[in-house]
Amino acid sequence: MQIWSTLNNQQQQNLLSRPAMADNQKLSDIVSDIIEQVKYQGDEALLALTEKFDGAKLTSVKFDEVSLEEVSGLISAKVKKAIDQAYTNIKSFHQAQYPQDVKVETAPGVVCELKHAPLASVGLYIPGGTAPLPSTVLMLGATAQVAGCARKVLCTPPNKDGQIASEIRYAAKLCGIDEIYLVGGAQAIAALALGTDSIAKVDKIFGPGNSFVTEAKQQVSRIPAGPAIDMPAGPSEVLVIADKDANPVYVAADLLSQAEHGADSQAVLVSDSEALIEATKQQVSAQLATLSRKDIAQQAIQHSRYILTGNIEQAFEVSNSYGPEHLIVQIENARESLDKLTNAGSIFVGQWSPESAGDYASGTNHVLPTYGYARNYSSLGLADFMRRYTVQELSYLGLQNIGDAIMDLADAEGLDAHRQAVALRLQSDLCAENKGGNAS
Amino acid sequence: MQIWSTLNNQQQQNLLSRPAMADNQKLSDIVSDIIEQVKYQGDEALLALTEKFDGAKLTSVKFDEVSLEEVSGLISAKVKKAIDQAYTNIKSFHQAQYPQDVKVETAPGVVCELKHAPLASVGLYIPGGTAPLPSTVLMLGATAQVAGCARKVLCTPPNKDGQIASEIRYAAKLCGIDEIYLVGGAQAIAALALGTDSIAKVDKIFGPGNSFVTEAKQQVSRIPAGPAIDMPAGPSEVLVIADKDANPVYVAADLLSQAEHGADSQAVLVSDSEALIEATKQQVSAQLATLSRKDIAQQAIQHSRYILTGNIEQAFEVSNSYGPEHLIVQIENARESLDKLTNAGSIFVGQWSPESAGDYASGTNHVLPTYGYARNYSSLGLADFMRRYTVQELSYLGLQNIGDAIMDLADAEGLDAHRQAVALRLQSDLCAENKGGNAS
C-alpha cells in the first residue's frame, strides 16, 4: 500500500506509470515482412501463413457459413440466450447514438450542413487462442450493423481442423456479417488493408489482438490512402475508487476480473480507507486461489497498486491523473462524483456495476482507450463506424453577403484565384436570370 | 481530355490515381533527429532550431500577446471585418454540432450513458511561409473554443525579426488562444507532443504543414501514450462535376483556386459535355495568365484531368470512385444529386458555391480529408475536439436481469473472475439493505 500524500510528484507519477511499451524492432520487421508477403503473394501467402502459425491446411480462406437456424443449433440454449440478450442491449445503446445531421444558415443565403454516412466497408478482427470471444464480435459487429456499413468482414484464425467456434459464428450471423475469413495475425490485417483475390480491402480495421496484430494495424494505417484503424492498443486496466463502506468482496472480484485478462493487466485500487484496502487485499488472495486462470491473474496482481489517499476528493485526482480504461466507483452517492471524474474510458457507478457487466451485456462497448489514451481517444461507439462530411450551398445573395470577406481574406493570404472565383461570379452578367435564385 | 467509357478498368484507376507519396527515409531520419533534440534539450533545442531554420534569434519561444484592442489596431479595418465575419460563421456552424449526451435504460435497472467532454489541451499548428494563414487559425481555434478546450496552444514560426503576422495574432485572440509560441516545423510538433520547460505537452495536435511537419505529426502520434493527431495529410484537391449549362468561367476559376495552392494540387473536371470541357480549358488558360501565383498554378494544371463521361450519372460514379477532398457540383438541380454523391470531404452545391467560400467564410471547416481519405476519415468538426466516454449504473435488480447473460458469456470465454464478480454480488447478503436501490 502506498500513502499518496507522502509521495513527491515524481514518485506519484512513477506509481501511476504504465509498463513501458518497448519499441520492438524485431517484431516490427517480422510484421512488415508478413505484410510484404501478403502484398505480393496474396491468398497464397495467407494459406501458407495459416498453415505455419495455426497448423491448419486450408484450400481457401473463405468460410462458407450456413443459415442462422443451422448455426444456432450448434450452441447451447444457455449461451444462445446470453448472446441474444447482450446483442439486444448493445444494439439498443448504439442505436441511441445515431447522429443527427446538422443544417444551419450561417448568413442569409449561406446554408452549411454536416452529414453522416456509414463507412462502406469495415474489417473486424477477432483473436483466436484458447477461448472464443463472441462478446467482441457483438461489440464490433452490432455497432457496424447499426451504423449501416454495407460490407462487414470478419477475420479470425482457425483451429488445426480449420474450424472456428460456433459462438463466434452465431454472434457474427446475428450481426449480419456475411463475409468470414479463416485467417489471423498480421496476415489478416494485411489482407484487410491491401486486399487479395479472396478478400477485398476495407476502409477501416477494428479489433483487439496480440502484439503482431496491433503492430500490423499500426503499420497498415500508415500506408498512403490505406485503412483507418480504431485506436492505439495497450494492456487492459481498471482503477477502483472505494470508500470505507465499499464491499471488499466486490472490490477484489473487480480487480481480479481485470487481472485475469493478461499478465500485463493493470489493477489499481484507490481508497481513503486503510481498512478497506487491507480487507480487499485479503479477499484478492482468497478469491485468486479459486480461479482457473490464477497463474495469469497472479502475475497481474503482483504489480497491482493499492493507494491510500487522505480523502475521497484526492482519490478522484489520482484517477483523473491515471486516466483508466475502466473506472469503478464504489462509494456513497457514487453518481454525484461523476462531474469530477473527467478522464476514463468507461465509468461503472456503484456497487452493482461490475466491470464484467460492461464487458459483456449492459450495452456499452467494451472496446475502450487504455494506456492513458482515455484523455485523447474516445470509447468505441457508433461514430467510429461512420464518417462526417459537409455540404454547402450559397445563393447569389449568399455569395454577395460573404463575398467581401472571402475576397479580403484571399488577399490577406495572397491567393488570387480564390478571390477571382468570387469576383468573376459577382461581376458576371452571364447568368443574370439566376441571380435571384435561392440556396435551395 | 479522356473519354471515360473508352478506358478499361486499369486505365480508369490510373486516371484517378494520386501522385505517389514516396516513403522518404531521409526526411524521416531528419525529423526523428529533431524530435530527439527537443526531447533531450527542450527549449534550448527549440531556440537553436528556430535560429537555424527561421533565422530568428530569440531568447524565449513564448510570445507575449497584448490585448484584443491593441492587436485589432494592427490590422486594416477591411481584414478585421473579414476575419470577424468568418469567425462568426464558423462558430455558428460548429456550435450547431454540439453533441447530445445519450442515456438509455437497455434493460430494467441497467442505465447506459454516452457522455462528451472537451479535450483538455490542444495544439494548433499554423504554418509560416510567404503569406499568413489567419483562416486556418479560425478553423482550428474557433472550433476548439466552441468545444470548450481549456488549453489552446498555437505554434507558428516567426519571421527573421521574431515576429508573426498581425492577422494571425488577431484571429488567435478572437478564438481565445492564450498561449502562442514562436516555433515552427518538426520542432514545434515535438514540443507539443513531449513538452519542454516553456511549452506543456498537449493531448492532440491539429493543423497543416510542410512535409517535415506532417512527418513529425505521424511520428509523435506513434509514441506510446503520446498525442492524437487530426488526420493523415496529402496534397489538396478538387473535383468539379459540370454539365452543359455550367458556366466555364466559374468552373475554370474553381479549378485554378485549387491549382494555386501548390504544384502538387489535383484539379479534376468531370463532365458529360465536351463543349463545356473545351470552353473551360480555354478559360483556364486565360485566367491563369492573370494570377500572381501563376507558376505554381501552371504546374498543378499540367497534371489536371478533364474527363468526359457518357452521362451525368457516370460523372457521379467517377467522383465517388475518386473521393475528392472538395467536390463542386455545377449541374442543373445540383441538390438532387446529393444522395448519389457518397464520397467527398466537402460538397459545394450549385454555381454560387465556389470552393473559396468554404475555404474562408461560409462556416464549414476547411480542414478536410484528402488523398482518398474522404472514404474513411471525417471532415474536421467539433467532434474532433471532444472525447466520448461511457457510464453505466446497474441497480441490484439490473444486475439480476443481465447477470445470467454475463455469467454464461464469461463461462463461454473461460473468464472465471468475470463470472465471480457477478455471482458474489448476487449471492451476497452483506448489503441486503441496499438491494432495493435504483440505478439512479
Side-chain angles (χ1 to χ4, degrees):
Chain A
M1 189 179 72
Q2 304 277 346
I3 303 172
W4 188 252
S5 60
T6 64
L7 306 175
N8 66 29
N9 236 322
Q10 189 57 51
Q11 289 168 323
Q12 290 178 344
Q13 270 189 37
N14 291 346
L15 186 59
L16 296 185
S17 72
R18 271 96 173 167
M21 290 202 280
D23 195 18
N24 188 334
Q25 191 58 48
K26 198 178 159 197
L27 173 71
S28 166
D29 290 345
I30 292 171
V31 166
S32 64
D33 181 53
I34 290 173
I35 294 173
E36 289 288 295
Q37 286 180 52
V38 174
K39 182 172 177 180
Y40 293 110
Q41 295 155 42
D43 287 331
E44 207 180 303
L46 297 185
L47 294 173
L49 291 163
T50 301
E51 182 169 0
K52 180 176 173 188
F53 292 120
D54 305 301
K57 227 176 146 65
L58 307 175
T59 53
S60 162
V61 291
K62 178 120 181 61
F63 183 74
D64 290 314
E65 190 49 282
V66 295
S67 70
L68 179 64
E69 286 65 36
E70 283 181 78
V71 180
S72 60
L74 302 174
I75 58 174
S76 73
K78 211 167 70 162
V79 170
K80 178 180 178 306
K81 194 178 158 192
I83 292 177
D84 286 349
Q85 192 176 12
Y87 172 72
T88 303
N89 292 351
I90 294 164
K91 246 183 118 167
S92 154
F93 183 54
H94 289 81
Q95 268 164 345
Q97 296 172 26
Y98 210 88
Q100 292 285 323
D101 286 350
V102 171
K103 190 172 189 173
V104 182
E105 192 167 3
T106 53
V110 181
V111 173
C112 298
E113 294 174 76
L114 180 72
K115 286 176 166 280
H116 301 82
L119 298 179
S121 58
V122 294
L124 315 178
Y125 184 79
I126 304 297
T130 47
L133 292 175
S135 63
T136 303
V137 178
L138 297 177
M139 295 295 168
L140 302 177
T143 312
Q145 188 180 32
V146 172
C149 301
R151 262 189 83 217
K152 298 179 285 296
V153 181
L154 189 151
C155 286
T156 193
N159 66 15
K160 283 183 181 165
D161 306 322
Q163 293 301 310
I164 52 176
S166 305
E167 292 87 351
I168 286 182
R169 292 170 56 188
Y170 178 69
K173 202 78 192 175
L174 271 187
C175 298
I177 295 169
D178 289 323
E179 289 182 52
I180 298 181
Y181 299 100
L182 299 174
V183 57
Q187 58 274 24
I189 305 303
L192 290 169
L194 303 167
T196 69
D197 287 339
S198 298
I199 309 179
K201 64 182 176 182
V202 300
D203 293 332
K204 191 169 180 179
I205 300 172
F206 298 80
N210 61 20
S211 54
F212 293 89
V213 169
T214 57
E215 172 66 20
K217 281 170 66 185
Q218 281 288 338
Q219 287 194 18
V220 299
S221 75
R222 303 199 294 269
I223 296 173
I229 60 170
D230 46 2
M231 64 180 80
S236 193
E237 63 202 19
V238 71
L239 185 147
V240 181
I241 299 176
D243 63 12
K244 66 176 169 39
D245 296 324
N247 188 328
V249 176
Y250 307 169
V251 175
D254 292 340
L255 295 173
L256 286 168
S257 294
Q258 190 56 58
E260 76 176 342
H261 272 300
D264 58 356
S265 282
Q266 309 288 301
V268 183
L269 172 61
V270 189
S271 178
D272 60 353
S273 162
E274 192 172 349
L276 183 277
I277 291 178
E278 290 306 329
T280 301
K281 283 173 119 170
Q282 286 175 19
Q283 269 297 321
V284 165
S285 300
Q287 293 180 27
L288 184 58
T290 70
L291 301 178
S292 62
R293 291 166 69 96
K294 62 168 168 275
D295 290 347
I296 289 169
Q298 174 94 57
Q299 289 177 59
I301 284 296
Q302 269 161 9
H303 53 84
S304 64
R305 279 151 285 179
Y306 298 90
I307 300 172
L308 179 66
T309 59
N311 52 52
I312 207 71
E313 297 284 333
Q314 209 174 51
F316 299 160
E317 286 162 29
V318 172
S319 176
N320 286 340
S321 174
Y322 183 68
E325 179 189 10
H326 304 94
L327 168 59
I328 302 182
V329 190
Q330 297 193 38
I331 61 173
E332 212 189 344
N333 302 321
R335 176 154 285 271
E336 286 167 23
S337 64
L338 280 181
D339 286 346
K340 293 170 191 155
L341 294 166
T342 52
N343 192 14
S346 191
I347 305 179
F348 298 74
V349 182
Q351 62 180 335
W352 308 118
S353 307
E355 185 192 312
S356 49
D359 284 346
Y360 287 126
S362 65
T364 59
N365 210 296
H366 77 199
V367 181
L368 299 167
T370 189
Y371 207 75
Y373 286 118
R375 80 188 188 288
N376 52 2
Y377 287 84
S378 291
S379 305
L380 199 77
L382 195 70
D384 296 297
F385 290 81
M386 305 190 81
R387 39 180 284 274
R388 292 172 280 109
Y389 63 101
T390 56
V391 173
Q392 60 203 284
E393 184 167 12
L394 282 72
S395 64
Y396 184 81
L397 177 72
L399 190 59
Q400 273 188 320
N401 279 332
I402 64 169
D404 282 344
I406 299 168
M407 291 190 284
D408 292 338
L409 277 163
D411 285 346
E413 298 190 358
L415 296 173
D416 293 6
H418 282 64
R419 157 185 267 283
Q420 284 288 87
V422 176
L424 289 169
R425 280 170 164 92
L426 293 181
Q427 284 161 17
S428 167
D429 284 316
L430 291 175
C431 294
E433 72 275 17
N434 288 328
K435 285 187 182 178
N438 272 326
S440 63
Chain B
M1 190 180 71
Q2 304 277 345
I3 303 172
W4 188 252
S5 60
T6 64
L7 305 176
N8 67 29
N9 236 322
Q10 189 56 50
Q11 289 169 322
Q12 290 178 346
Q13 269 190 36
N14 291 346
L15 185 61
L16 296 185
S17 71
R18 272 93 172 169
M21 290 203 280
D23 195 17
N24 187 333
Q25 191 58 47
K26 199 178 158 196
L27 173 70
S28 167
D29 290 345
I30 292 171
V31 167
S32 64
D33 181 54
I34 290 174
I35 294 173
E36 289 287 294
Q37 286 179 54
V38 174
K39 181 172 179 180
Y40 293 109
Q41 295 155 43
D43 286 333
E44 206 180 303
L46 297 185
L47 294 173
L49 291 163
T50 302
E51 183 169 359
K52 181 177 172 187
F53 292 119
D54 305 301
K57 224 176 148 66
L58 307 175
T59 53
S60 161
V61 291
K62 177 119 183 63
F63 183 74
D64 291 313
E65 189 49 284
V66 295
S67 69
L68 179 64
E69 287 65 38
E70 283 181 81
V71 181
S72 60
L74 303 173
I75 58 174
S76 74
K78 210 167 67 163
V79 171
K80 179 180 176 306
K81 193 177 158 192
I83 292 178
D84 286 347
Q85 191 175 12
Y87 172 72
T88 302
N89 292 351
I90 294 164
K91 247 183 118 166
S92 155
F93 182 54
H94 289 80
Q95 269 164 344
Q97 297 172 26
Y98 209 87
Q100 292 285 323
D101 286 349
V102 172
K103 191 173 190 172
V104 183
E105 192 166 4
T106 53
V110 180
V111 174
C112 298
E113 294 174 76
L114 180 72
K115 285 175 166 279
H116 302 81
L119 298 179
S121 57
V122 293
L124 315 178
Y125 185 79
I126 304 296
T130 47
L133 292 175
S135 62
T136 303
V137 179
L138 296 177
M139 295 295 169
L140 303 177
T143 312
Q145 187 179 33
V146 171
C149 301
R151 263 188 82 217
K152 298 180 285 296
V153 181
L154 190 152
C155 285
T156 193
N159 67 15
K160 283 186 183 159
D161 306 321
Q163 293 301 311
I164 51 177
S166 305
E167 292 87 350
I168 285 181
R169 292 171 56 187
Y170 178 68
K173 203 77 192 175
L174 270 188
C175 298
I177 295 168
D178 289 322
E179 290 182 52
I180 297 180
Y181 299 100
L182 299 173
V183 57
Q187 57 273 24
I189 304 304
L192 290 169
L194 304 168
T196 69
D197 287 340
S198 297
I199 309 179
K201 64 183 176 182
V202 301
D203 293 331
K204 191 168 180 178
I205 300 172
F206 297 81
N210 61 21
S211 54
F212 294 90
V213 169
T214 57
E215 170 67 19
K217 282 171 66 186
Q218 280 288 340
Q219 287 193 19
V220 299
S221 74
R222 302 199 295 267
I223 296 173
I229 61 171
D230 46 3
M231 66 181 78
S236 192
E237 63 202 19
V238 71
L239 185 146
V240 182
I241 299 176
D243 64 12
K244 66 177 172 34
D245 296 324
N247 188 328
V249 176
Y250 307 170
V251 175
D254 292 339
L255 295 173
L256 287 168
S257 293
Q258 191 55 58
E260 76 176 341
H261 273 300
D264 58 357
S265 283
Q266 308 288 300
V268 182
L269 172 61
V270 189
S271 178
D272 59 353
S273 161
E274 191 170 349
L276 183 277
I277 291 178
E278 290 305 331
T280 300
K281 282 173 120 168
Q282 286 176 18
Q283 269 296 321
V284 165
S285 300
Q287 292 181 27
L288 184 60
T290 70
L291 302 179
S292 62
R293 292 165 67 94
K294 63 168 169 276
D295 291 346
I296 289 170
Q298 174 94 59
Q299 288 177 60
I301 284 297
Q302 269 161 8
H303 53 84
S304 62
R305 278 152 285 179
Y306 298 90
I307 301 172
L308 179 67
T309 58
N311 52 52
I312 209 71
E313 296 284 332
Q314 208 174 52
F316 300 161
E317 285 162 31
V318 172
S319 176
N320 288 338
S321 173
Y322 184 69
E325 179 189 10
H326 305 93
L327 167 59
I328 302 181
V329 190
Q330 296 192 41
I331 61 174
E332 211 188 347
N333 302 321
R335 175 154 285 271
E336 286 166 24
S337 64
L338 280 182
D339 286 345
K340 294 172 192 154
L341 294 166
T342 53
N343 193 13
S346 192
I347 304 177
F348 297 74
V349 182
Q351 64 179 333
W352 308 118
S353 307
E355 184 193 312
S356 50
D359 284 346
Y360 287 127
S362 65
T364 59
N365 209 297
H366 76 200
V367 181
L368 299 167
T370 188
Y371 206 73
Y373 285 118
R375 80 189 188 288
N376 51 2
Y377 288 83
S378 291
S379 305
L380 200 76
L382 196 70
D384 297 297
F385 290 81
M386 305 189 81
R387 39 180 284 274
R388 291 171 280 110
Y389 63 101
T390 56
V391 173
Q392 61 203 283
E393 184 167 10
L394 282 72
S395 63
Y396 184 79
L397 177 71
L399 190 59
Q400 273 188 318
N401 278 332
I402 64 169
D404 283 343
I406 299 169
M407 291 190 284
D408 292 337
L409 278 162
D411 285 346
E413 297 190 357
L415 296 174
D416 293 5
H418 282 64
R419 157 184 267 282
Q420 283 289 87
V422 176
L424 288 168
R425 281 170 164 91
L426 293 181
Q427 284 160 17
S428 167
D429 285 317
L430 291 174
C431 292
E433 74 275 16
N434 287 329
K435 286 188 180 176
N438 272 325
S440 64

